[in-house]
Amino acid sequence: MDTVTPLHWILTDTTGNCMVIEPTGKMLHLKENPVGVMTNTPLLEWHIENLSNYLNVRPKQYDPVEFGTYTSHAFSQGTGTLGLPGGYTPPERFIRAAFFKENIDQPAIEVEAVTNAVKILATVQIPKGIVVTTDDKEDYSQYIGMMCNESKTYYYTDYNNTRISQVTLTKELLERKTPKVFVTKKAEDISILNKENRSPEETVSNIEQKEEAGINTLDILRQELALGLKAAKDGSLDNDAHQTIDQAIEQLKQLKNNI
């Protein structure tokens, strides 16, 4: 993004307790977070106090109101959400995330929780071109990441591909001494139910997407091969390094099949 963002961090455990780490001046401060939602500036205390301005927002429809002898009815469903902010400033995104998190149907299983998280984060995800900085740079949500503490699983969707990818923190990963790279598709992974001949424009777009995905994959492969060569040079070509090389070969096969 070619910019330094004022990062804040959120921490949770399997009991549901939540804390945040925020930069205050030149110090980092650990704070309890009773809401379970976090965004960047301003500080957490300000965002929590700001919730008081939205006590009227609710999922339930408002009842008709009488004005003299006239009874006014809602145009349609959703009047309870009137006043819910729709912009992309951190305070507006905080309010939306807190409201959706508090009122969305509670999941029974993990995959339902992942779906919930995607729906909630979609309300605050910034598309390209919607937020432009004063120096004409796009500020957008590059990806969505979700974590389940119980199963130790990380869920990920790229900006250009809304399909969810997952990686579970296994014993094998914990015991590795070198990084393991997982490649995700950088182009939209669409299930075509009635496959037909594509137009020339669609064909060109598909080629461009595959080219971008290939460049990203090759960049990752360069990193993995560099790790393998360094291990061989240092005389530390252990099982981790062998796995890295095997993974690089497998990714080359995938890249060949996608061309």
Side-chain angles (χ1 to χ4, degrees), residues 32-232:
E32 290 188 10
N33 184 352
V35 180
V37 173
M38 184 209 71
T39 183
N40 290 336
T41 56
L43 297 177
L44 176 67
E45 295 86 352
W46 188 97
H47 287 292
I48 291 177
E49 188 173 351
N50 187 43
L51 288 170
S52 300
N53 291 317
Y54 299 92
L55 302 180
N56 61 301
V57 181
R58 67 183 195 182
K60 190 176 179 181
Q61 183 84 331
Y62 278 111
D63 296 328
V65 176
E66 292 184 357
F67 295 89
T69 59
Y70 174 76
T71 301
S72 179
H73 296 269
F75 285 112
S76 183
Q77 296 298 320
T79 57
T81 60
L82 283 172
L84 191 66
Y88 285 101
T89 64
E92 290 172 297
R93 297 167 77 203
F94 185 95
I95 294 297
R96 287 204 299 280
F99 176 79
F100 276 82
K101 174 180 174 291
E102 192 66 27
N103 292 289
I104 198 169
D105 287 349
Q106 293 302 299
I109 57 177
E110 183 172 329
V111 68
E112 291 179 1
V114 173
T115 300
N116 276 7
V118 170
K119 302 301 183 186
I120 294 170
L121 292 172
T123 70
V124 297
Q125 187 178 19
I126 305 175
K128 288 182 178 180
I130 303 302
V131 176
V132 180
T133 64
T134 54
D135 53 353
D136 291 329
K137 293 177 181 177
E138 291 181 333
D139 184 1
Y140 68 96
S141 304
Q142 297 185 14
Y143 68 95
I144 288 178
M146 299 158 285
M147 288 171 278
C148 178
N149 290 331
E150 286 84 357
S151 66
K152 298 180 177 60
T153 302
Y154 182 79
Y155 298 90
Y156 169 89
T157 63
D158 185 77
Y159 182 91
N160 296 305
N161 185 2
T162 53
R163 180 172 183 174
I164 301 172
S165 301
Q166 76 169 59
V167 174
T168 300
L169 188 59
T170 61
K171 181 180 178 182
E172 181 267 329
L173 285 176
L174 284 170
E175 291 176 349
R176 284 181 65 92
K177 295 182 177 62
T178 58
K180 184 168 184 176
V181 179
F182 295 92
V183 179
T184 61
K185 291 184 178 180
K186 296 296 182 180
E188 199 66 72
D189 191 6
I190 299 175
S191 176
I192 303 174
L193 302 181
N194 56 336
K195 203 166 186 178
E196 298 176 356
N197 293 330
R198 295 184 176 183
S199 67
E201 292 79 9
E202 289 176 319
T203 302
V204 170
S205 175
N206 188 46
I207 292 172
E208 289 175 347
Q209 290 179 345
K210 285 186 176 182
E211 181 182 6
E212 180 183 357
I215 291 172
N216 291 331
T217 303
L218 286 173
D219 184 52
I220 293 171
L221 287 172
R222 277 193 287 268
Q223 298 177 41
E224 293 186 349
L225 290 172
L227 287 171
L229 290 171
K230 182 178 183 300

